[in-house]
Amino acid sequence: MKMKSFIILLISLFVFLMACKPSIENETKKFENNKQTVASFAAKYAAFKPLLDEATKKAQGLWDEALKINKEEDKAKKMAEANEALSGNPVYSGLNSYEGHVDRVKKLQNDLQPYTSKFQYRSIASSAISGGTAALAEAANIISTAKPTAVDNAAEFIKKANSILIDAEGKMERAKKQIKGSSSSKKKK
């Protein structure tokens, strides 16, 4: 029985390691997705476009180098490096995070919305929703009025906007828990 478990573990480890290894096909898909994401960010957040273009140019240079490599394993590693140069860029990752926080705040607002029609929860839910709306507006204002001159500077603007959204998420989560806790204690009575 121990030998069978050991063999299963060995096979699982092998499959896991093979899945983690970069492949040309996977890296090509990632690169195309990353370039589409950059194009989307550049269109939505014009002030950050020059920095995104700079990151794309660097990544494209690495990608072009990768295409010249004959050995598939080395080519895939260089492609992964190009992908990391783009997705690991602080402006790219920061804007990606920003959009995720915007989506979470909007989801929490939607989750809390039904409670605004119930008298006992209206105040908590409405306050949390309006706090989320104010945070979305404040964060959007920071992003839209930013005039970044360098990656570090841009990352600071994005970090500030994300911080506002994270704070709002926390307040909305606490409101949601308070409502859920209150409604479950009433059901127990």
Side-chain angles (χ1 to χ4, degrees), residues 101-115:
H101 290 301
V102 166
D103 290 344
R104 280 191 287 286
V105 168
K106 289 178 178 179
K107 183 187 179 318
L108 286 165
Q109 286 178 313
N110 287 336
D111 291 349
L112 289 166
Q113 188 61 45
Y115 296 104

PDB file of all heavy atoms in Angstrom, residues 101-115:
ATOM      1  N   HIS A 101     -10.577  45.927  -7.463  1.00  0.00           N
ATOM      2  CA  HIS A 101     -11.195  46.580  -6.295  1.00  0.00           C
ATOM      3  C   HIS A 101     -12.483  47.300  -6.679  1.00  0.00           C
ATOM      4  O   HIS A 101     -13.464  47.262  -5.929  1.00  0.00           O
ATOM      5  CB  HIS A 101     -10.210  47.547  -5.630  1.00  0.00           C
ATOM      6  CG  HIS A 101      -9.077  46.869  -4.937  1.00  0.00           C
ATOM      7  ND1 HIS A 101      -9.257  45.966  -3.921  1.00  0.00           N
ATOM      8  CD2 HIS A 101      -7.742  46.940  -5.145  1.00  0.00           C
ATOM      9  CE1 HIS A 101      -8.087  45.514  -3.507  1.00  0.00           C
ATOM     10  NE2 HIS A 101      -7.145  46.085  -4.245  1.00  0.00           N
ATOM     11  N   VAL A 102     -12.489  47.942  -7.835  1.00  0.00           N
ATOM     12  CA  VAL A 102     -13.714  48.599  -8.309  1.00  0.00           C
ATOM     13  C   VAL A 102     -14.830  47.560  -8.435  1.00  0.00           C
ATOM     14  O   VAL A 102     -15.950  47.777  -7.964  1.00  0.00           O
ATOM     15  CB  VAL A 102     -13.477  49.326  -9.656  1.00  0.00           C
ATOM     16  CG1 VAL A 102     -14.799  49.716 -10.310  1.00  0.00           C
ATOM     17  CG2 VAL A 102     -12.588  50.549  -9.461  1.00  0.00           C
ATOM     18  N   ASP A 103     -14.507  46.424  -9.041  1.00  0.00           N
ATOM     19  CA  ASP A 103     -15.506  45.358  -9.207  1.00  0.00           C
ATOM     20  C   ASP A 103     -16.007  44.849  -7.860  1.00  0.00           C
ATOM     21  O   ASP A 103     -17.205  44.604  -7.686  1.00  0.00           O
ATOM     22  CB  ASP A 103     -14.930  44.194 -10.017  1.00  0.00           C
ATOM     23  CG  ASP A 103     -14.713  44.548 -11.484  1.00  0.00           C
ATOM     24  OD1 ASP A 103     -15.268  45.561 -11.955  1.00  0.00           O
ATOM     25  OD2 ASP A 103     -13.969  43.800 -12.153  1.00  0.00           O
ATOM     26  N   ARG A 104     -15.094  44.685  -6.883  1.00  0.00           N
ATOM     27  CA  ARG A 104     -15.509  44.185  -5.567  1.00  0.00           C
ATOM     28  C   ARG A 104     -16.409  45.181  -4.841  1.00  0.00           C
ATOM     29  O   ARG A 104     -17.391  44.791  -4.207  1.00  0.00           O
ATOM     30  CB  ARG A 104     -14.288  43.824  -4.724  1.00  0.00           C
ATOM     31  CG  ARG A 104     -13.722  42.463  -5.087  1.00  0.00           C
ATOM     32  CD  ARG A 104     -12.688  41.963  -4.096  1.00  0.00           C
ATOM     33  NE  ARG A 104     -11.406  42.638  -4.170  1.00  0.00           N
ATOM     34  CZ  ARG A 104     -10.496  42.466  -5.129  1.00  0.00           C
ATOM     35  NH1 ARG A 104     -10.722  41.635  -6.110  1.00  0.00           N
ATOM     36  NH2 ARG A 104      -9.356  43.121  -5.102  1.00  0.00           N
ATOM     37  N   VAL A 105     -16.089  46.463  -4.931  1.00  0.00           N
ATOM     38  CA  VAL A 105     -16.943  47.469  -4.281  1.00  0.00           C
ATOM     39  C   VAL A 105     -18.338  47.447  -4.913  1.00  0.00           C
ATOM     40  O   VAL A 105     -19.354  47.447  -4.208  1.00  0.00           O
ATOM     41  CB  VAL A 105     -16.317  48.887  -4.374  1.00  0.00           C
ATOM     42  CG1 VAL A 105     -17.322  49.959  -3.963  1.00  0.00           C
ATOM     43  CG2 VAL A 105     -15.074  48.973  -3.493  1.00  0.00           C
ATOM     44  N   LYS A 106     -18.395  47.375  -6.229  1.00  0.00           N
ATOM     45  CA  LYS A 106     -19.698  47.329  -6.911  1.00  0.00           C
ATOM     46  C   LYS A 106     -20.474  46.068  -6.553  1.00  0.00           C
ATOM     47  O   LYS A 106     -21.691  46.114  -6.366  1.00  0.00           O
ATOM     48  CB  LYS A 106     -19.505  47.421  -8.424  1.00  0.00           C
ATOM     49  CG  LYS A 106     -19.069  48.802  -8.879  1.00  0.00           C
ATOM     50  CD  LYS A 106     -18.850  48.853 -10.370  1.00  0.00           C
ATOM     51  CE  LYS A 106     -18.457  50.249 -10.817  1.00  0.00           C
ATOM     52  NZ  LYS A 106     -18.214  50.314 -12.266  1.00  0.00           N
ATOM     53  N   LYS A 107     -19.779  44.945  -6.425  1.00  0.00           N
ATOM     54  CA  LYS A 107     -20.443  43.694  -6.030  1.00  0.00           C
ATOM     55  C   LYS A 107     -20.998  43.815  -4.608  1.00  0.00           C
ATOM     56  O   LYS A 107     -22.128  43.405  -4.342  1.00  0.00           O
ATOM     57  CB  LYS A 107     -19.491  42.508  -6.126  1.00  0.00           C
ATOM     58  CG  LYS A 107     -20.189  41.187  -5.776  1.00  0.00           C
ATOM     59  CD  LYS A 107     -19.235  40.034  -5.696  1.00  0.00           C
ATOM     60  CE  LYS A 107     -19.891  38.728  -5.337  1.00  0.00           C
ATOM     61  NZ  LYS A 107     -20.893  38.746  -4.299  1.00  0.00           N
ATOM     62  N   LEU A 108     -20.209  44.369  -3.712  1.00  0.00           N
ATOM     63  CA  LEU A 108     -20.677  44.544  -2.337  1.00  0.00           C
ATOM     64  C   LEU A 108     -21.880  45.484  -2.290  1.00  0.00           C
ATOM     65  O   LEU A 108     -22.820  45.263  -1.518  1.00  0.00           O
ATOM     66  CB  LEU A 108     -19.550  45.058  -1.444  1.00  0.00           C
ATOM     67  CG  LEU A 108     -18.494  44.015  -1.079  1.00  0.00           C
ATOM     68  CD1 LEU A 108     -17.244  44.674  -0.525  1.00  0.00           C
ATOM     69  CD2 LEU A 108     -19.063  43.020  -0.076  1.00  0.00           C
ATOM     70  N   GLN A 109     -21.862  46.518  -3.111  1.00  0.00           N
ATOM     71  CA  GLN A 109     -23.025  47.411  -3.173  1.00  0.00           C
ATOM     72  C   GLN A 109     -24.265  46.640  -3.623  1.00  0.00           C
ATOM     73  O   GLN A 109     -25.338  46.801  -3.038  1.00  0.00           O
ATOM     74  CB  GLN A 109     -22.753  48.578  -4.137  1.00  0.00           C
ATOM     75  CG  GLN A 109     -21.809  49.611  -3.587  1.00  0.00           C
ATOM     76  CD  GLN A 109     -21.539  50.719  -4.572  1.00  0.00           C
ATOM     77  OE1 GLN A 109     -21.270  50.477  -5.743  1.00  0.00           O
ATOM     78  NE2 GLN A 109     -21.607  51.956  -4.097  1.00  0.00           N
ATOM     79  N   ASN A 110     -24.092  45.811  -4.630  1.00  0.00           N
ATOM     80  CA  ASN A 110     -25.221  44.988  -5.102  1.00  0.00           C
ATOM     81  C   ASN A 110     -25.690  44.009  -4.031  1.00  0.00           C
ATOM     82  O   ASN A 110     -26.889  43.770  -3.889  1.00  0.00           O
ATOM     83  CB  ASN A 110     -24.836  44.227  -6.374  1.00  0.00           C
ATOM     84  CG  ASN A 110     -24.757  45.130  -7.583  1.00  0.00           C
ATOM     85  OD1 ASN A 110     -25.377  46.182  -7.626  1.00  0.00           O
ATOM     86  ND2 ASN A 110     -23.976  44.722  -8.562  1.00  0.00           N
ATOM     87  N   ASP A 111     -24.743  43.432  -3.294  1.00  0.00           N
ATOM     88  CA  ASP A 111     -25.098  42.504  -2.214  1.00  0.00           C
ATOM     89  C   ASP A 111     -25.890  43.199  -1.114  1.00  0.00           C
ATOM     90  O   ASP A 111     -26.781  42.601  -0.500  1.00  0.00           O
ATOM     91  CB  ASP A 111     -23.837  41.876  -1.597  1.00  0.00           C
ATOM     92  CG  ASP A 111     -23.111  40.923  -2.526  1.00  0.00           C
ATOM     93  OD1 ASP A 111     -23.670  40.569  -3.590  1.00  0.00           O
ATOM     94  OD2 ASP A 111     -21.967  40.530  -2.188  1.00  0.00           O
ATOM     95  N   LEU A 112     -25.545  44.451  -0.841  1.00  0.00           N
ATOM     96  CA  LEU A 112     -26.212  45.195   0.236  1.00  0.00           C
ATOM     97  C   LEU A 112     -27.529  45.842  -0.200  1.00  0.00           C
ATOM     98  O   LEU A 112     -28.373  46.154   0.639  1.00  0.00           O
ATOM     99  CB  LEU A 112     -25.261  46.276   0.779  1.00  0.00           C
ATOM    100  CG  LEU A 112     -24.082  45.756   1.594  1.00  0.00           C
ATOM    101  CD1 LEU A 112     -23.042  46.850   1.781  1.00  0.00           C
ATOM    102  CD2 LEU A 112     -24.555  45.229   2.942  1.00  0.00           C
ATOM    103  N   GLN A 113     -27.706  46.038  -1.476  1.00  0.00           N
ATOM    104  CA  GLN A 113     -28.880  46.744  -1.999  1.00  0.00           C
ATOM    105  C   GLN A 113     -30.219  46.181  -1.497  1.00  0.00           C
ATOM    106  O   GLN A 113     -31.091  46.952  -1.088  1.00  0.00           O
ATOM    107  CB  GLN A 113     -28.840  46.766  -3.535  1.00  0.00           C
ATOM    108  CG  GLN A 113     -29.891  47.635  -4.170  1.00  0.00           C
ATOM    109  CD  GLN A 113     -29.761  49.095  -3.757  1.00  0.00           C
ATOM    110  OE1 GLN A 113     -28.684  49.654  -3.744  1.00  0.00           O
ATOM    111  NE2 GLN A 113     -30.886  49.703  -3.396  1.00  0.00           N
ATOM    112  N   PRO A 114     -30.423  44.864  -1.485  1.00  0.00           N
ATOM    113  CA  PRO A 114     -31.720  44.345  -1.018  1.00  0.00           C
ATOM    114  C   PRO A 114     -32.061  44.735   0.429  1.00  0.00           C
ATOM    115  O   PRO A 114     -33.237  44.822   0.788  1.00  0.00           O
ATOM    116  CB  PRO A 114     -31.571  42.826  -1.129  1.00  0.00           C
ATOM    117  CG  PRO A 114     -30.460  42.612  -2.099  1.00  0.00           C
ATOM    118  CD  PRO A 114     -29.560  43.792  -1.972  1.00  0.00           C
ATOM    119  N   TYR A 115     -31.054  45.002   1.229  1.00  0.00           N
ATOM    120  CA  TYR A 115     -31.289  45.336   2.636  1.00  0.00           C
ATOM    121  C   TYR A 115     -31.758  46.783   2.829  1.00  0.00           C
ATOM    122  O   TYR A 115     -32.213  47.137   3.910  1.00  0.00           O
ATOM    123  CB  TYR A 115     -30.034  45.068   3.473  1.00  0.00           C
ATOM    124  CG  TYR A 115     -29.672  43.609   3.503  1.00  0.00           C
ATOM    125  CD1 TYR A 115     -28.613  43.119   2.739  1.00  0.00           C
ATOM    126  CD2 TYR A 115     -30.404  42.710   4.261  1.00  0.00           C
ATOM    127  CE1 TYR A 115     -28.294  41.770   2.754  1.00  0.00           C
ATOM    128  CE2 TYR A 115     -30.096  41.355   4.276  1.00  0.00           C
ATOM    129  CZ  TYR A 115     -29.040  40.901   3.516  1.00  0.00           C
ATOM    130  OH  TYR A 115     -28.724  39.570   3.524  1.00  0.00           O
TER     131      TYR A 115
END
